[in-house]
Amino acid sequence: MMTSTSGRNWENRLFTGEWLPGRGDSVPAREAATGATLAMLATADTADVAASVEIARQAQAEWAGWSFDRRAEVLRRVASLIRERAAEFNHWNIRECGSIPAKAEWEIQAVYEQAQMAAAMPMQPVGEVYPSAMPGRMNYCQRLPIGVVGVIAPWNFPILLSMRSVLPALAVGNAVVLKPDLQSAVCGGLLLAEVFEAAGLPRGVFHVLPGGPQTGADLVAHPDVKMISFTGSTQVGRSIGEVCGRMLKKVALELGGNNPLVVLDDADLEVASSCGAWGAFLHQGQICMQAGRHLVQRGAAERYIGLLAERASRLAVGNPATEPVHLGPLINLRQAERVEDIVQRSVALGARIVAGGRRRGPFFEATVLADVTPEMPAFSEEIFGPVAPVTVFDTDEEAVALVNRSPYGLAAAVHGSAMGRASALASKLRAGMVHINDQTVNNEFHIPFGGMGASGNGGRFGGPANFEEFTQTQWVSVSHKGIQYPF
């Protein structure tokens, strides 16, 4: 059994540059697998949010004024500390989120890479020079920090999906107020505060305010929070977008997905079924990029279903903190019951369970459903559980229509041996990311990441997109001599 190395200075505390009790209720941090209380968490109320934002507003200007090399050095120390404390982060990721150890280890490595990338950002070019039709004038555009950025992060990849916004926002000179989900507030927030504090980030530049929906709403509505970066459900994202739209506030939304994995009749079915299993069952299917719809051409369907079911049947389910398993618990009992309901309603409409299909408390078996049609909830809803619904199609045009029938457009995958055919099909899919002969759950820190349609508002995270998201552009013209106009 792993043990935490933390001194737990964060227990029942918020972080505003110093550790303070919250004015909100004290709530338990619970283990996903057992429901046991792991720690007690402070939560932020409206007054806490207001106080935190004011501290961040005052601290931001000084941080933005630091030389690029000083800011980069802090972020390099953050990267080193993330790696040094990996075992502690992994311990809490497993306990809070039900992550298996391999998933937790991958996530912390990805965060390390994000931190290294962010440390390189301050030394990149910050503007462009443009010509002018006016003699003696020079035009340049420079990137400036936005100010205070609010980050609202989810529980499924709580460290990575907070730090992919926190790190670049800080790198370009913003202050950040992070609201982690209460179901992952330790690994996805409070331990991060310890890291930034130890790395020498100036007091007040980074804040962690655990809380529920009202805490998030207060952060979104605060007039001195100039940008919101939100990762979560489409329903909540729409509400946040409405508020930010009325306030003319910048907002980056990375929302839900119902991602198709298309298997053509000339695909390597061993490879396709391996990708299908990974994309559908990794982290119990609780990933926005999960392969939620398996669209298989008729000639390949029977064998693909058999191979996928065979892979699903070999996956062990249990508590990842106490036994070697492939699938841990879903984040809570309510979510497990929701997945069960989607499966049962789809079966009632004619779907067939080929593998799995059973729930035990918060644990749900890797499940393969055959004979799924577009009218079934297993096709139309984002399941967010370890379920692979298989729908059969006949023509490439039918596959495209089935993919684009969904309002979501986050990720997609296409399997086929003829690259021209697979690429032509991929170009017709309404998705922000398409992977040929791979699975849907793909992320590389240096490549812009994001969706279309109901999966986001066009914002992107990663690589050069980080400069677009977390800065604002100012045009400056410089005339060497004053210009006399005819008035």
Side-chain angles (χ1 to χ4, degrees):
M1 182 73 168
M2 289 175 295
T3 58
S4 170
T5 59
S6 172
R8 297 170 74 113
N9 297 324
W10 44 261
E11 190 157 16
N12 255 324
R13 293 289 186 271
L14 312 175
F15 184 73
T16 64
E18 57 182 327
W19 295 97
L20 299 172
R23 296 180 177 91
D25 295 334
S26 181
V27 300
R30 297 197 182 278
E31 183 173 36
T34 66
T37 297
L38 302 172
M40 295 303 295
L41 304 173
T43 63
D45 71 359
T46 303
D48 288 318
V49 172
S52 191
V53 171
E54 177 58 21
I55 293 168
R57 187 188 67 80
Q58 294 183 27
Q60 183 268 327
E62 179 184 355
W63 169 243
W66 277 31
S67 63
F68 77 88
D69 53 335
R70 290 181 70 196
R71 274 187 276 132
E73 180 60 28
V74 169
L75 295 174
R76 282 193 289 268
R77 287 198 293 267
V78 168
S80 296
L81 288 166
I82 287 288
R83 176 161 281 180
E84 288 173 18
R85 298 181 62 173
E88 182 180 12
F89 276 100
N90 293 344
H91 165 82
W92 283 98
N93 201 340
I94 292 166
R95 299 294 296 280
E96 285 187 289
C97 307
S99 302
I100 64 172
K103 179 266 186 186
E105 291 162 7
W106 178 90
E107 183 174 359
I108 206 67
Q109 175 62 26
V111 173
Y112 172 79
E113 292 170 348
Q114 289 275 350
Q116 293 282 26
M117 179 185 67
M121 289 179 66
M123 66 188 73
Q124 299 302 310
V126 295
E128 299 170 313
V129 177
Y130 292 85
S132 176
M134 301 288 290
R137 170 188 276 182
M138 180 181 71
N139 294 313
Y140 65 89
C141 287
Q142 60 182 352
R143 294 189 179 278
L144 302 176
I146 291 170
V148 179
V149 175
V151 176
I152 302 175
W155 49 260
N156 56 337
F157 281 76
I159 315 166
L160 177 59
L161 298 185
S162 59
M163 291 287 264
R164 75 172 179 186
S165 293
V166 169
L167 287 163
L170 291 174
V172 295
N174 298 292
V176 174
V177 180
L178 168 65
K179 191 207 83 68
D181 193 287
L182 282 173
Q183 296 172 109
S184 55
V186 180
C187 68
L190 298 168
L191 297 184
L192 295 175
E194 289 189 337
V195 164
F196 280 108
E197 186 179 34
L201 188 72
R203 177 173 290 190
V205 175
F206 179 60
H207 301 244
V208 176
L209 304 181
Q214 186 58 52
T215 305
D218 291 336
L219 187 62
V220 170
H222 198 292
D224 287 333
V225 176
K226 301 302 183 182
M227 175 186 174
I228 292 292
S229 176
F230 171 77
T231 303
S233 73
T234 297
Q235 179 183 2
V236 175
R238 290 185 193 279
S239 299
I240 290 173
E242 289 174 3
V243 174
C244 291
R246 288 196 300 272
M247 299 181 74
L248 302 180
K249 179 182 300 193
K250 192 170 187 179
V251 59
L253 302 173
E254 199 263 283
L255 307 176
N258 190 3
N259 310 290
L261 187 143
V262 179
V263 181
L264 301 173
D265 55 9
D266 63 345
D268 182 328
L269 296 183
E270 289 286 350
V271 170
S273 62
S274 174
C275 289
W278 183 264
F281 306 135
L282 178 64
H283 194 40
Q284 298 79 262
Q286 298 173 121
I287 306 174
C288 59
M289 296 176 284
Q290 178 207 20
R293 293 179 292 157
H294 298 239
L295 309 179
V296 187
Q297 200 153 23
R298 192 172 300 279
E302 183 177 354
R303 183 157 181 257
Y304 177 84
I305 291 169
L307 289 170
L308 188 61
E310 182 183 346
R311 293 179 185 278
S313 66
R314 293 199 299 260
L315 299 180
V317 182
N319 184 346
T322 60
E323 55 187 321
V325 295
H326 301 98
L327 275 67
L330 275 74
I331 190 64
N332 56 47
L333 182 60
R334 182 179 67 255
Q335 175 61 14
E337 290 173 341
R338 177 183 172 275
V339 172
E340 182 180 43
D341 176 67
I342 289 173
V343 169
Q344 290 180 346
R345 284 190 288 131
S346 298
V347 168
L349 291 172
R352 176 167 51 93
I353 296 175
V354 184
R358 291 180 292 272
R359 179 181 67 84
R360 175 174 54 85
F363 301 94
F364 203 94
E365 295 175 330
T367 298
V368 177
L369 294 179
D371 304 332
V372 173
T373 65
E375 295 73 29
M376 296 177 185
F379 182 95
S380 60
E381 297 185 26
E382 182 183 23
I383 301 175
F384 231 61
V387 179
V390 180
T391 300
V392 175
F393 67 89
D394 289 301
T395 66
D396 292 10
E397 292 73 21
E398 185 184 358
V400 171
L402 285 168
V403 169
N404 293 339
R405 181 175 180 138
S406 172
Y408 296 106
L410 187 57
V414 178
H415 280 260
S417 60
M419 288 302 98
R421 178 190 180 194
S423 298
L425 191 149
S427 68
K428 299 174 184 177
L429 305 184
R430 191 170 56 244
M433 301 166 282
V434 183
H435 308 290
I436 295 176
N437 290 330
D438 201 346
Q439 42 79 41
T440 55
V441 184
N442 267 289
N443 182 77
E444 294 193 51
F445 65 91
H446 60 294
I447 302 174
F449 174 105
M452 301 178 182
S455 293
N457 66 335
R460 294 293 184 268
F461 301 95
N466 286 333
F467 290 99
E468 294 292 334
E469 289 298 334
F470 297 106
T471 64
Q472 52 195 338
T473 301
Q474 181 185 62
W475 173 28
V476 179
S477 72
V478 180
S479 297
H480 299 294
K481 292 184 179 180
I483 300 172
Q484 292 192 24
Y485 291 92
F487 287 3

